[in-house]
Amino acid sequence: MNALQLSYQLARRFRKSQHHSGFMGFMAKSSSLGIILGVAVLILALSVVNGFQLQLVERLLALVPHVEYVAADTPIDNWQAKRKQLAEQDAVASAAPFVAANAMAQYRGELAAAQLRGIVPEFESQVSIADDFIDGKPLAQLAGNELIIGQQLAKQLAVNIGDDITLLMSDVTNKSKGLSAPIRIQGRVVAMLNSHGPLDKQLIYLPMSRLQSAFSMADHQVTGLRVTLHDVFAAQTQAMAIGRTLSDYVYVNSWIRTQGSLYADIQMVRTIVYLSVFLIIAVASFNIVSSLFMEVKEKQSAIAILRTMGASDFVIMHAFLLQGVVSALFAIIVGIVIGVLLAMNITELFAWWSAFIGENKLAGVYFIDFLPSQIHWQDIVAIAVIALVITVLASIYPAWQASKVDPAKVLGN
């Protein structure tokens, strides 16, 4: 039997003996439980953060404009040529015109604030995935006096598909005439937008020609152009460069300005989660130090006898080191299994809990009303490696102390 095999056998014997020692067994189990909880919670927390980031990109940023160029004083003329000009930029995936206005939506005495979005369905479908969240008539078939309304807004107004609502607007082209009578148009609800986000509370889609007519704008005039980028995270750097190709005086808005704080919050939460749970794992790992020190103290006689029988410092040190590492490996594996199972089912568990307490804690707070999750296996590998390295480092000193036990002093007493 070589030295490593002997160390492994001794580690197994020492570990089994913990089960017969009440306090020592409790210390060993508590340290393992701490690592299990730390690893599981870290995997779950990071998966939820990853899920929020994925939903931000795939749901919110696929609906809201990546970059918008909004007319400052007068409407943008000849939008057809300028849309094509923007779409031909290397960084741009597609572009679409729009006429935007704030309005009050009215139905049977109920009033609610709304944001109107006059669109050309053909182009809007290229810059938005709204169709993925629309219940009813698809966006591409929107025409005439038809409207697509956010589900939460419809709920606030008690509107159903097929109902006619009234929209009250101020003239967006009136820059210097002072107060004017509100413009009133009517439309029929043919579909609802159900993205589980803030847009459901305020957005109304309607054909762009309706708003152009209401505001006495020519067919070639719009209030803005919307751009979708190949790289959504390059919006801040690309927005101005792309906008310089336009001859109009426009305001430049990107999602970094409107939704950037949300993305920054997600990244900050990721950092806090790493730090806090890293400390939990560190504390649990250093509990192993305490249990190993106590075991070294308890087994001094056995260590002394092994030394007199010829066991080297290497054998003794590695026996205790292996004991700590094996305990940590078991705890890490169990923690990973629990964490992955929770991360895979957290959306359903959160829905069940919300139904149980009768309240959704995310509704109206974040851009989604469910708890998303996305497992990144590189996160799991990083967590396992970090936890194992901490445990190894925490086990080195007590294992080294065990190798320095003096048989003469121990057996002499």
Side-chain angles (χ1 to χ4, degrees):
M1 182 181 294
N2 60 36
L4 282 176
Q5 289 176 324
L6 179 58
S7 296
Y8 175 72
Q9 293 298 328
L10 288 174
R12 286 186 59 190
R13 290 293 184 91
F14 289 156
R15 183 171 173 78
K16 285 182 180 180
S17 67
Q18 288 178 345
H19 299 296
H20 303 292
S21 176
F23 186 70
M24 288 295 299
F26 171 77
M27 287 292 294
K29 289 175 183 176
S30 64
S31 60
S32 296
L33 182 61
I35 295 174
I36 290 172
L37 291 177
V39 169
V41 169
L42 185 52
I43 290 174
L44 176 60
L46 287 178
S47 297
V48 170
V49 172
N50 293 335
F52 269 103
Q53 182 167 322
L54 179 67
Q55 292 299 320
L56 176 69
V57 174
E58 292 191 350
R59 185 180 294 264
L60 184 60
L61 297 185
L63 287 171
V64 303
H66 293 178
V67 179
E68 275 187 334
Y69 301 102
V70 182
D73 295 320
T74 58
I76 298 173
D77 288 317
N78 194 17
W79 68 261
Q80 294 89 342
K82 291 170 183 175
R83 186 210 70 84
K84 185 177 180 181
Q85 177 183 334
L86 290 175
E88 289 173 350
Q89 300 294 312
D90 292 337
V92 175
S94 54
F98 66 87
V99 175
N102 293 324
M104 293 298 295
Q106 182 182 31
Y107 180 71
R108 293 184 178 177
E110 295 292 333
L111 283 172
Q115 290 185 357
L116 305 185
R117 194 84 173 182
I119 61 168
V120 178
E122 172 192 354
F123 296 127
E124 190 69 18
S125 298
Q126 297 174 15
V127 297
S128 171
I129 61 166
D131 271 327
D132 293 349
F133 306 105
I134 287 176
D135 300 324
K137 195 171 186 178
L139 191 68
Q141 297 179 16
L142 189 65
N145 68 337
E146 297 173 338
L147 307 174
I148 297 175
I149 186 171
Q151 188 177 58
Q152 293 299 317
L153 179 58
K155 184 177 180 181
Q156 186 177 348
L157 293 170
V159 169
N160 294 310
I161 292 177
D163 292 335
D164 292 327
I165 65 174
T166 301
L167 302 174
L168 305 173
M169 307 166 292
S170 61
D171 190 350
V172 296
T173 62
N174 180 12
K175 301 297 182 181
S176 58
K177 298 176 183 178
L179 295 176
S180 60
I183 297 172
R184 180 190 299 262
I185 63 173
Q186 287 192 330
R188 174 161 295 178
V189 176
V190 296
M192 294 188 185
L193 177 69
N194 184 22
S195 65
H196 299 277
L199 297 180
D200 299 352
K201 300 178 182 178
Q202 55 194 12
L203 189 61
I204 296 179
Y205 285 117
L206 69 164
M208 191 171 73
S209 57
R210 290 294 309 281
L211 291 183
Q212 286 174 322
S213 176
F215 297 138
S216 300
M217 298 168 62
D219 291 343
H220 60 82
Q221 292 180 321
V222 294
T223 62
L225 293 164
R226 168 180 176 172
V227 164
T228 295
L229 303 176
H230 292 296
D231 182 3
V232 64
F233 296 106
Q236 191 73 359
T237 57
Q238 295 290 341
M240 294 302 296
I242 296 170
R244 290 191 187 97
T245 63
L246 294 174
S247 58
D248 300 84
Y249 179 39
V250 295
Y251 294 118
V252 181
N253 290 325
S254 73
W255 75 267
I256 300 293
R257 182 178 178 182
T258 58
Q259 311 291 337
S261 59
L262 182 60
Y263 178 72
D265 289 345
I266 291 174
Q267 300 309 310
M268 182 181 67
V269 169
R270 180 192 297 276
T271 302
I272 293 173
V273 166
Y274 258 120
L275 180 61
S276 58
V277 185
F278 170 82
L279 293 176
I280 293 174
I281 295 175
V283 170
S285 298
F286 280 100
N287 282 341
I288 294 177
V289 176
S290 302
S291 61
L292 286 179
F293 264 121
M294 294 176 63
E295 188 163 3
V296 169
K297 191 72 175 175
E298 185 181 85
K299 290 185 167 53
Q300 281 190 338
S301 297
I303 295 170
I305 294 172
L306 287 170
R307 294 293 301 277
T308 59
M309 294 174 64
S312 64
D313 292 351
F314 176 88
V315 169
I316 301 298
M317 180 175 178
H318 280 75
F320 283 92
L321 187 61
L322 280 172
Q323 188 177 347
V325 171
V326 169
S327 297
L329 273 175
F330 173 78
I332 290 169
I333 292 171
V334 173
I336 288 174
V337 172
I338 294 174
V340 169
L341 288 176
L342 286 174
M344 291 172 63
N345 297 280
I346 191 62
T347 302
E348 291 76 13
L349 290 172
F350 179 78
W352 174 84
W353 175 251
S354 297
F356 178 76
I357 65 175
E359 180 184 6
N360 188 331
K361 297 293 185 180
L362 294 181
V365 179
Y366 295 102
F367 61 95
I368 52 175
D369 59 3
F370 61 95
L371 200 61
S373 176
Q374 184 186 39
I375 299 172
H376 287 173
W377 294 107
Q378 55 268 35
D379 287 341
I380 295 176
V381 172
I383 292 166
V385 170
I386 290 171
L388 188 59
V389 168
I390 292 174
T391 304
V392 171
L393 293 176
S395 304
I396 288 175
Y397 185 69
W400 178 76
Q401 286 289 93
S403 70
K404 298 303 177 183
V405 170
D406 187 348
K409 291 182 179 179
V410 173
L411 298 177
N413 295 330

